[in-house]
Amino acid sequence: MRIVQDDDVDQRVKNLNQLGTCKSDDPHIIALAQISGARLLYTNDKALQKDFKRKELIDSPHGKIYSTLKGGNYSPAHKRLLANRNLCSSLS
């Protein structure tokens, strides 16, 4: 867990909105991931999933999605995602 400043997230959201970079209506989620370094997202929102997988938005490492859209159940792939300890980028 990391604590981030609201003002930092708000500023990043403003930048994302000005650039029109996000296709989803969730730039705050992308901004939080960029600032915090989080790279694992649980969502069934297909547009947000696409944004989170875009290299120009989430990189080093790439974003991983945990979703129950297919099948609706917890799967072995979900277990591996949750066990992965390398899903946060290093922050400078």
Side-chain angles (χ1 to χ4, degrees):
M1 180 169 80
R2 292 198 172 123
I3 296 172
V4 298
Q5 299 299 313
D6 290 345
D7 292 343
D8 294 341
V9 175
D10 292 342
Q11 183 60 48
R12 186 68 58 97
V13 167
K14 183 178 176 181
N15 293 345
L16 288 168
N17 286 336
Q18 286 175 343
L19 294 172
T21 312
C22 293
K23 305 302 181 198
S24 69
D25 61 356
D26 297 300
H28 56 288
I29 302 296
I30 299 300
L32 182 60
Q34 289 175 342
I35 292 169
S36 70
R39 294 300 184 262
L40 178 61
L41 175 69
Y42 174 80
T43 185
N44 288 333
D45 180 326
K46 290 181 182 181
L48 180 56
Q49 289 177 1
K50 287 179 184 177
D51 278 348
F52 204 77
K53 294 292 276 183
R54 290 177 52 213
K55 183 178 175 72
E56 62 270 19
L57 292 175
I58 304 294
D59 196 24
S60 297
H62 301 323
K64 303 288 183 184
I65 308 295
Y66 178 105
S67 174
T68 55
L69 275 176
K70 295 179 182 175
N73 295 320
Y74 183 78
S75 70
H78 291 143
K79 185 175 182 178
R80 284 190 301 276
L81 274 176
L82 294 173
N84 188 339
R85 300 293 182 231
N86 297 315
L87 290 173
C88 286
S89 66
S90 58
L91 300 175
S92 307

